Amino acid sequence: MVDIVLDPSLPEPPFEQVRSQVARRAASGDLPAGTKLPTVRALATQLGIAVNTVARAYKELEADGVVVTEGRRGTFVAAPDAPADVEAVAADLAASARRAGLTLAQTQRLLGDAWTSA
């Protein structure tokens, strides 16, 4: 369950309170990647606010890359982007494996072996 609490005494509007709480908790790892968020309607009902308010918060979170919406499956906390140096190493691995004639499955197995022995 994703607990979000609105504070009417704050100057921030409700959509911003929802957006900032989800963003902060995702960044801290309190909401790990893959966590399913409540539907817009369910969260609006839980918080006692308009559906459009939650929809705006989710839309801004998606624009910022904090969440991803997968159609009818729902809205999930997005996986953080890989650091540039890791992406570069992955690209090098893919290029080297292709030059060596390895398949994707063989390359994934090699990476898995390296991951577990590291």
mmCIF file with all atom_site columns, all heavy atoms in Angstrom, residues 2-3 8 14 20-21 32 55 65 73 83 85 92 98 101 104 108-109 115:
data_model
loop_
_atom_site.group_PDB
_atom_site.id
_atom_site.type_symbol
_atom_site.label_atom_id
_atom_site.label_alt_id
_atom_site.label_comp_id
_atom_site.label_asym_id
_atom_site.label_entity_id
_atom_site.label_seq_id
_atom_site.pdbx_PDB_ins_code
_atom_site.Cartn_x
_atom_site.Cartn_y
_atom_site.Cartn_z
_atom_site.occupancy
_atom_site.B_iso_or_equiv
_atom_site.pdbx_formal_charge
_atom_site.auth_seq_id
_atom_site.auth_comp_id
_atom_site.auth_asym_id
_atom_site.auth_atom_id
_atom_site.pdbx_PDB_model_num
ATOM 1   N N   . VAL A 1 2   ? 0.543  2.189   -0.824  1.00 0.00 ? 2   VAL A N   1
ATOM 2   C CA  . VAL A 1 2   ? 1.282  3.438   -0.925  1.00 0.00 ? 2   VAL A CA  1
ATOM 3   C C   . VAL A 1 2   ? 0.557  4.466   -0.068  1.00 0.00 ? 2   VAL A C   1
ATOM 4   O O   . VAL A 1 2   ? -0.548 4.891   -0.394  1.00 0.00 ? 2   VAL A O   1
ATOM 5   C CB  . VAL A 1 2   ? 1.357  3.915   -2.391  1.00 0.00 ? 2   VAL A CB  1
ATOM 6   C CG1 . VAL A 1 2   ? 2.054  5.240   -2.488  1.00 0.00 ? 2   VAL A CG1 1
ATOM 7   C CG2 . VAL A 1 2   ? 2.049  2.866   -3.244  1.00 0.00 ? 2   VAL A CG2 1
ATOM 8   N N   . ASP A 1 3   ? 1.176  4.827   1.045   1.00 0.00 ? 3   ASP A N   1
ATOM 9   C CA  . ASP A 1 3   ? 0.562  5.796   1.953   1.00 0.00 ? 3   ASP A CA  1
ATOM 10  C C   . ASP A 1 3   ? 0.964  7.209   1.553   1.00 0.00 ? 3   ASP A C   1
ATOM 11  O O   . ASP A 1 3   ? 2.146  7.551   1.566   1.00 0.00 ? 3   ASP A O   1
ATOM 12  C CB  . ASP A 1 3   ? 0.991  5.534   3.389   1.00 0.00 ? 3   ASP A CB  1
ATOM 13  C CG  . ASP A 1 3   ? 0.405  4.257   3.949   1.00 0.00 ? 3   ASP A CG  1
ATOM 14  O OD1 . ASP A 1 3   ? -0.760 3.965   3.636   1.00 0.00 ? 3   ASP A OD1 1
ATOM 15  O OD2 . ASP A 1 3   ? 1.108  3.555   4.692   1.00 0.00 ? 3   ASP A OD2 1
ATOM 16  N N   . PRO A 1 8   ? -3.533 19.933  4.573   1.00 0.00 ? 8   PRO A N   1
ATOM 17  C CA  . PRO A 1 8   ? -4.210 21.139  4.085   1.00 0.00 ? 8   PRO A CA  1
ATOM 18  C C   . PRO A 1 8   ? -3.572 22.435  4.575   1.00 0.00 ? 8   PRO A C   1
ATOM 19  O O   . PRO A 1 8   ? -3.839 23.500  4.007   1.00 0.00 ? 8   PRO A O   1
ATOM 20  C CB  . PRO A 1 8   ? -5.640 20.993  4.606   1.00 0.00 ? 8   PRO A CB  1
ATOM 21  C CG  . PRO A 1 8   ? -5.591 19.958  5.668   1.00 0.00 ? 8   PRO A CG  1
ATOM 22  C CD  . PRO A 1 8   ? -4.375 19.120  5.434   1.00 0.00 ? 8   PRO A CD  1
ATOM 23  N N   . PRO A 1 14  ? -2.772 20.127  -3.548  1.00 0.00 ? 14  PRO A N   1
ATOM 24  C CA  . PRO A 1 14  ? -2.790 18.666  -3.360  1.00 0.00 ? 14  PRO A CA  1
ATOM 25  C C   . PRO A 1 14  ? -2.037 17.886  -4.437  1.00 0.00 ? 14  PRO A C   1
ATOM 26  O O   . PRO A 1 14  ? -1.329 16.931  -4.118  1.00 0.00 ? 14  PRO A O   1
ATOM 27  C CB  . PRO A 1 14  ? -4.277 18.330  -3.365  1.00 0.00 ? 14  PRO A CB  1
ATOM 28  C CG  . PRO A 1 14  ? -4.941 19.578  -2.864  1.00 0.00 ? 14  PRO A CG  1
ATOM 29  C CD  . PRO A 1 14  ? -4.107 20.704  -3.427  1.00 0.00 ? 14  PRO A CD  1
ATOM 30  N N   . SER A 1 20  ? 5.199  15.247  -5.084  1.00 0.00 ? 20  SER A N   1
ATOM 31  C CA  . SER A 1 20  ? 6.463  15.318  -4.353  1.00 0.00 ? 20  SER A CA  1
ATOM 32  C C   . SER A 1 20  ? 6.656  14.136  -3.415  1.00 0.00 ? 20  SER A C   1
ATOM 33  O O   . SER A 1 20  ? 7.773  13.636  -3.264  1.00 0.00 ? 20  SER A O   1
ATOM 34  C CB  . SER A 1 20  ? 6.583  16.638  -3.596  1.00 0.00 ? 20  SER A CB  1
ATOM 35  O OG  . SER A 1 20  ? 5.610  16.732  -2.586  1.00 0.00 ? 20  SER A OG  1
ATOM 36  N N   . GLN A 1 21  ? 5.588  13.653  -2.790  1.00 0.00 ? 21  GLN A N   1
ATOM 37  C CA  . GLN A 1 21  ? 5.723  12.495  -1.903  1.00 0.00 ? 21  GLN A CA  1
ATOM 38  C C   . GLN A 1 21  ? 6.121  11.245  -2.677  1.00 0.00 ? 21  GLN A C   1
ATOM 39  O O   . GLN A 1 21  ? 7.010  10.508  -2.260  1.00 0.00 ? 21  GLN A O   1
ATOM 40  C CB  . GLN A 1 21  ? 4.426  12.246  -1.123  1.00 0.00 ? 21  GLN A CB  1
ATOM 41  C CG  . GLN A 1 21  ? 4.193  13.242  -0.014  1.00 0.00 ? 21  GLN A CG  1
ATOM 42  C CD  . GLN A 1 21  ? 2.927  12.956  0.757   1.00 0.00 ? 21  GLN A CD  1
ATOM 43  O OE1 . GLN A 1 21  ? 2.700  11.832  1.178   1.00 0.00 ? 21  GLN A OE1 1
ATOM 44  N NE2 . GLN A 1 21  ? 2.097  13.985  0.941   1.00 0.00 ? 21  GLN A NE2 1
ATOM 45  N N   . PRO A 1 32  ? 10.253 1.084   -4.161  1.00 0.00 ? 32  PRO A N   1
ATOM 46  C CA  . PRO A 1 32  ? 11.201 0.526   -5.128  1.00 0.00 ? 32  PRO A CA  1
ATOM 47  C C   . PRO A 1 32  ? 10.623 0.453   -6.537  1.00 0.00 ? 32  PRO A C   1
ATOM 48  O O   . PRO A 1 32  ? 9.405  0.459   -6.723  1.00 0.00 ? 32  PRO A O   1
ATOM 49  C CB  . PRO A 1 32  ? 11.496 -0.873  -4.588  1.00 0.00 ? 32  PRO A CB  1
ATOM 50  C CG  . PRO A 1 32  ? 10.590 -1.108  -3.444  1.00 0.00 ? 32  PRO A CG  1
ATOM 51  C CD  . PRO A 1 32  ? 9.836  0.143   -3.149  1.00 0.00 ? 32  PRO A CD  1
ATOM 52  N N   . ALA A 1 55  ? -4.673 12.613  -11.301 1.00 0.00 ? 55  ALA A N   1
ATOM 53  C CA  . ALA A 1 55  ? -4.242 12.413  -12.686 1.00 0.00 ? 55  ALA A CA  1
ATOM 54  C C   . ALA A 1 55  ? -3.136 13.402  -13.052 1.00 0.00 ? 55  ALA A C   1
ATOM 55  O O   . ALA A 1 55  ? -2.166 13.027  -13.729 1.00 0.00 ? 55  ALA A O   1
ATOM 56  C CB  . ALA A 1 55  ? -5.427 12.552  -13.637 1.00 0.00 ? 55  ALA A CB  1
ATOM 57  N N   . GLY A 1 65  ? 9.801  10.938  -15.474 1.00 0.00 ? 65  GLY A N   1
ATOM 58  C CA  . GLY A 1 65  ? 10.424 9.620   -15.506 1.00 0.00 ? 65  GLY A CA  1
ATOM 59  C C   . GLY A 1 65  ? 10.395 8.883   -14.177 1.00 0.00 ? 65  GLY A C   1
ATOM 60  O O   . GLY A 1 65  ? 11.067 7.874   -14.017 1.00 0.00 ? 65  GLY A O   1
ATOM 61  N N   . ARG A 1 73  ? -2.725 -2.165  -17.151 1.00 0.00 ? 73  ARG A N   1
ATOM 62  C CA  . ARG A 1 73  ? -1.980 -2.802  -16.047 1.00 0.00 ? 73  ARG A CA  1
ATOM 63  C C   . ARG A 1 73  ? -1.796 -1.854  -14.882 1.00 0.00 ? 73  ARG A C   1
ATOM 64  O O   . ARG A 1 73  ? -1.697 -2.278  -13.746 1.00 0.00 ? 73  ARG A O   1
ATOM 65  C CB  . ARG A 1 73  ? -0.601 -3.275  -16.533 1.00 0.00 ? 73  ARG A CB  1
ATOM 66  C CG  . ARG A 1 73  ? -0.666 -4.501  -17.409 1.00 0.00 ? 73  ARG A CG  1
ATOM 67  C CD  . ARG A 1 73  ? 0.676  -5.182  -17.555 1.00 0.00 ? 73  ARG A CD  1
ATOM 68  N NE  . ARG A 1 73  ? 1.184  -5.617  -16.258 1.00 0.00 ? 73  ARG A NE  1
ATOM 69  C CZ  . ARG A 1 73  ? 2.400  -5.338  -15.801 1.00 0.00 ? 73  ARG A CZ  1
ATOM 70  N NH1 . ARG A 1 73  ? 3.243  -4.645  -16.529 1.00 0.00 ? 73  ARG A NH1 1
ATOM 71  N NH2 . ARG A 1 73  ? 2.795  -5.766  -14.623 1.00 0.00 ? 73  ARG A NH2 1
ATOM 72  N N   . PRO A 1 83  ? 23.462 4.551   -14.832 1.00 0.00 ? 83  PRO A N   1
ATOM 73  C CA  . PRO A 1 83  ? 24.488 5.581   -14.997 1.00 0.00 ? 83  PRO A CA  1
ATOM 74  C C   . PRO A 1 83  ? 25.148 5.466   -16.371 1.00 0.00 ? 83  PRO A C   1
ATOM 75  O O   . PRO A 1 83  ? 25.233 4.364   -16.939 1.00 0.00 ? 83  PRO A O   1
ATOM 76  C CB  . PRO A 1 83  ? 25.491 5.272   -13.885 1.00 0.00 ? 83  PRO A CB  1
ATOM 77  C CG  . PRO A 1 83  ? 24.734 4.451   -12.894 1.00 0.00 ? 83  PRO A CG  1
ATOM 78  C CD  . PRO A 1 83  ? 23.709 3.692   -13.687 1.00 0.00 ? 83  PRO A CD  1
ATOM 79  N N   . ASP A 1 85  ? 28.181 5.511   -17.357 1.00 0.00 ? 85  ASP A N   1
ATOM 80  C CA  . ASP A 1 85  ? 29.325 4.615   -17.493 1.00 0.00 ? 85  ASP A CA  1
ATOM 81  C C   . ASP A 1 85  ? 28.874 3.157   -17.603 1.00 0.00 ? 85  ASP A C   1
ATOM 82  O O   . ASP A 1 85  ? 29.472 2.374   -18.339 1.00 0.00 ? 85  ASP A O   1
ATOM 83  C CB  . ASP A 1 85  ? 30.325 4.797   -16.342 1.00 0.00 ? 85  ASP A CB  1
ATOM 84  C CG  . ASP A 1 85  ? 29.737 4.512   -14.974 1.00 0.00 ? 85  ASP A CG  1
ATOM 85  O OD1 . ASP A 1 85  ? 28.514 4.680   -14.790 1.00 0.00 ? 85  ASP A OD1 1
ATOM 86  O OD2 . ASP A 1 85  ? 30.514 4.122   -14.081 1.00 0.00 ? 85  ASP A OD2 1
ATOM 87  N N   . ASP A 1 92  ? 29.530 -1.687  -24.955 1.00 0.00 ? 92  ASP A N   1
ATOM 88  C CA  . ASP A 1 92  ? 30.784 -2.349  -25.333 1.00 0.00 ? 92  ASP A CA  1
ATOM 89  C C   . ASP A 1 92  ? 30.639 -3.865  -25.270 1.00 0.00 ? 92  ASP A C   1
ATOM 90  O O   . ASP A 1 92  ? 31.129 -4.580  -26.156 1.00 0.00 ? 92  ASP A O   1
ATOM 91  C CB  . ASP A 1 92  ? 31.939 -1.906  -24.419 1.00 0.00 ? 92  ASP A CB  1
ATOM 92  C CG  . ASP A 1 92  ? 32.369 -0.475  -24.663 1.00 0.00 ? 92  ASP A CG  1
ATOM 93  O OD1 . ASP A 1 92  ? 32.001 0.099   -25.720 1.00 0.00 ? 92  ASP A OD1 1
ATOM 94  O OD2 . ASP A 1 92  ? 33.076 0.071   -23.786 1.00 0.00 ? 92  ASP A OD2 1
ATOM 95  N N   . ARG A 1 98  ? 28.742 -9.501  -30.151 1.00 0.00 ? 98  ARG A N   1
ATOM 96  C CA  . ARG A 1 98  ? 28.320 -9.655  -31.549 1.00 0.00 ? 98  ARG A CA  1
ATOM 97  C C   . ARG A 1 98  ? 29.516 -9.955  -32.447 1.00 0.00 ? 98  ARG A C   1
ATOM 98  O O   . ARG A 1 98  ? 29.438 -10.818 -33.326 1.00 0.00 ? 98  ARG A O   1
ATOM 99  C CB  . ARG A 1 98  ? 27.604 -8.400  -32.031 1.00 0.00 ? 98  ARG A CB  1
ATOM 100 C CG  . ARG A 1 98  ? 26.208 -8.305  -31.518 1.00 0.00 ? 98  ARG A CG  1
ATOM 101 C CD  . ARG A 1 98  ? 25.496 -7.121  -32.113 1.00 0.00 ? 98  ARG A CD  1
ATOM 102 N NE  . ARG A 1 98  ? 24.125 -7.106  -31.626 1.00 0.00 ? 98  ARG A NE  1
ATOM 103 C CZ  . ARG A 1 98  ? 23.272 -6.153  -31.873 1.00 0.00 ? 98  ARG A CZ  1
ATOM 104 N NH1 . ARG A 1 98  ? 23.639 -5.121  -32.610 1.00 0.00 ? 98  ARG A NH1 1
ATOM 105 N NH2 . ARG A 1 98  ? 22.065 -6.207  -31.400 1.00 0.00 ? 98  ARG A NH2 1
ATOM 106 N N   . GLY A 1 101 ? 30.444 -13.411 -32.285 1.00 0.00 ? 101 GLY A N   1
ATOM 107 C CA  . GLY A 1 101 ? 29.450 -14.344 -32.788 1.00 0.00 ? 101 GLY A CA  1
ATOM 108 C C   . GLY A 1 101 ? 28.563 -14.952 -31.708 1.00 0.00 ? 101 GLY A C   1
ATOM 109 O O   . GLY A 1 101 ? 27.900 -15.961 -31.942 1.00 0.00 ? 101 GLY A O   1
ATOM 110 N N   . LEU A 1 104 ? 22.461 -13.473 -27.916 1.00 0.00 ? 104 LEU A N   1
ATOM 111 C CA  . LEU A 1 104 ? 22.040 -12.696 -26.751 1.00 0.00 ? 104 LEU A CA  1
ATOM 112 C C   . LEU A 1 104 ? 21.978 -13.601 -25.517 1.00 0.00 ? 104 LEU A C   1
ATOM 113 O O   . LEU A 1 104 ? 22.432 -13.223 -24.437 1.00 0.00 ? 104 LEU A O   1
ATOM 114 C CB  . LEU A 1 104 ? 20.677 -12.038 -27.008 1.00 0.00 ? 104 LEU A CB  1
ATOM 115 C CG  . LEU A 1 104 ? 20.062 -11.265 -25.837 1.00 0.00 ? 104 LEU A CG  1
ATOM 116 C CD1 . LEU A 1 104 ? 21.002 -10.149 -25.366 1.00 0.00 ? 104 LEU A CD1 1
ATOM 117 C CD2 . LEU A 1 104 ? 18.712 -10.700 -26.233 1.00 0.00 ? 104 LEU A CD2 1
ATOM 118 N N   . GLN A 1 108 ? 23.999 -13.023 -22.129 1.00 0.00 ? 108 GLN A N   1
ATOM 119 C CA  . GLN A 1 108 ? 23.305 -12.876 -20.847 1.00 0.00 ? 108 GLN A CA  1
ATOM 120 C C   . GLN A 1 108 ? 23.823 -13.889 -19.830 1.00 0.00 ? 108 GLN A C   1
ATOM 121 O O   . GLN A 1 108 ? 23.980 -13.562 -18.651 1.00 0.00 ? 108 GLN A O   1
ATOM 122 C CB  . GLN A 1 108 ? 21.796 -13.042 -21.030 1.00 0.00 ? 108 GLN A CB  1
ATOM 123 C CG  . GLN A 1 108 ? 21.158 -11.873 -21.742 1.00 0.00 ? 108 GLN A CG  1
ATOM 124 C CD  . GLN A 1 108 ? 19.717 -12.129 -22.124 1.00 0.00 ? 108 GLN A CD  1
ATOM 125 O OE1 . GLN A 1 108 ? 19.306 -13.267 -22.404 1.00 0.00 ? 108 GLN A OE1 1
ATOM 126 N NE2 . GLN A 1 108 ? 18.926 -11.070 -22.146 1.00 0.00 ? 108 GLN A NE2 1
ATOM 127 N N   . ARG A 1 109 ? 24.110 -15.096 -20.280 1.00 0.00 ? 109 ARG A N   1
ATOM 128 C CA  . ARG A 1 109 ? 24.653 -16.124 -19.384 1.00 0.00 ? 109 ARG A CA  1
ATOM 129 C C   . ARG A 1 109 ? 26.026 -15.702 -18.871 1.00 0.00 ? 109 ARG A C   1
ATOM 130 O O   . ARG A 1 109 ? 26.324 -15.829 -17.681 1.00 0.00 ? 109 ARG A O   1
ATOM 131 C CB  . ARG A 1 109 ? 24.716 -17.469 -20.093 1.00 0.00 ? 109 ARG A CB  1
ATOM 132 C CG  . ARG A 1 109 ? 25.013 -18.631 -19.173 1.00 0.00 ? 109 ARG A CG  1
ATOM 133 C CD  . ARG A 1 109 ? 24.827 -20.003 -19.806 1.00 0.00 ? 109 ARG A CD  1
ATOM 134 N NE  . ARG A 1 109 ? 25.248 -20.125 -21.196 1.00 0.00 ? 109 ARG A NE  1
ATOM 135 C CZ  . ARG A 1 109 ? 24.410 -20.177 -22.248 1.00 0.00 ? 109 ARG A CZ  1
ATOM 136 N NH1 . ARG A 1 109 ? 23.114 -20.145 -22.081 1.00 0.00 ? 109 ARG A NH1 1
ATOM 137 N NH2 . ARG A 1 109 ? 24.876 -20.292 -23.474 1.00 0.00 ? 109 ARG A NH2 1
ATOM 138 N N   . TRP A 1 115 ? 28.127 -11.598 -12.786 1.00 0.00 ? 115 TRP A N   1
ATOM 139 C CA  . TRP A 1 115 ? 27.376 -10.922 -11.720 1.00 0.00 ? 115 TRP A CA  1
ATOM 140 C C   . TRP A 1 115 ? 27.473 -11.719 -10.422 1.00 0.00 ? 115 TRP A C   1
ATOM 141 O O   . TRP A 1 115 ? 27.691 -11.140 -9.350  1.00 0.00 ? 115 TRP A O   1
ATOM 142 C CB  . TRP A 1 115 ? 25.919 -10.797 -12.154 1.00 0.00 ? 115 TRP A CB  1
ATOM 143 C CG  . TRP A 1 115 ? 25.060 -10.020 -11.193 1.00 0.00 ? 115 TRP A CG  1
ATOM 144 C CD1 . TRP A 1 115 ? 24.435 -10.490 -10.068 1.00 0.00 ? 115 TRP A CD1 1
ATOM 145 C CD2 . TRP A 1 115 ? 24.708 -8.645  -11.281 1.00 0.00 ? 115 TRP A CD2 1
ATOM 146 N NE1 . TRP A 1 115 ? 23.737 -9.500  -9.454  1.00 0.00 ? 115 TRP A NE1 1
ATOM 147 C CE2 . TRP A 1 115 ? 23.878 -8.346  -10.181 1.00 0.00 ? 115 TRP A CE2 1
ATOM 148 C CE3 . TRP A 1 115 ? 25.009 -7.639  -12.186 1.00 0.00 ? 115 TRP A CE3 1
ATOM 149 C CZ2 . TRP A 1 115 ? 23.353 -7.086  -9.966  1.00 0.00 ? 115 TRP A CZ2 1
ATOM 150 C CZ3 . TRP A 1 115 ? 24.479 -6.382  -11.973 1.00 0.00 ? 115 TRP A CZ3 1
ATOM 151 C CH2 . TRP A 1 115 ? 23.666 -6.124  -10.861 1.00 0.00 ? 115 TRP A CH2 1
#
